[in-house]
Amino acid sequence: MTDRNSLAQEVGAAFRDHGLTAAITALIGGTIALLASVARKAFTNDAMLARLDRELLTERNRIERQRAEDRKTDADRLARIEADIHAMRALMFEAFQRGGGD
């Protein structure tokens, strides 16, 4: 609203000081400046959204890599636990086999 008030004030001052032609020129110039401001803000917002999209994609990729690495670590640990359980079963079976033969 401040831009519109200042635009109207500029047009009024130009009309008082220099006549109708200057007022029309000020009106056109002010309108172009206002449109440029709106366009700049729109392009800035688009650029910001594009940057946020890129950052979000990068963060998603990083998280997905971390999850994959965590899943691999968990799978390796589970495999070691299963191998230890299997080795313990074999050891206990062998111990019972020897104990029963005495």
Side-chain angles (χ1 to χ4, degrees):
M1 192 117 195
T2 305
D3 291 335
R4 290 183 185 175
N5 287 339
S6 63
L7 179 61
Q9 289 171 351
E10 287 179 27
V11 170
F15 183 69
R16 278 191 311 272
D17 296 344
H18 303 289
L20 184 61
T21 306
I24 292 172
T25 303
L27 181 62
I28 292 171
T31 303
I32 290 172
L34 184 63
L35 290 175
S37 174
V38 169
R40 185 184 76 233
K41 286 181 183 178
F43 286 123
T44 300
N45 288 341
D46 286 345
M48 188 183 309
L49 287 174
R51 189 184 96 226
L52 288 174
D53 284 343
R54 287 190 306 271
E55 289 176 1
L56 181 61
L57 181 62
T58 301
E59 187 65 16
R60 282 182 180 165
N61 289 337
R62 185 191 68 77
I63 289 171
E64 187 56 38
R65 283 192 306 271
Q66 184 65 44
R67 285 182 180 164
E69 188 177 307
D70 290 347
R71 284 192 294 270
K72 183 182 180 309
T73 301
D74 288 344
D76 291 344
R77 188 178 50 149
L78 183 60
R80 286 192 307 272
I81 290 170
E82 288 176 351
D84 290 346
I85 291 171
H86 181 69
M88 187 56 85
R89 278 188 189 156
L91 183 64
M92 289 176 69
F93 181 74
E94 187 179 321
F96 283 125
Q97 288 294 327
R98 283 191 214 161
D102 282 340

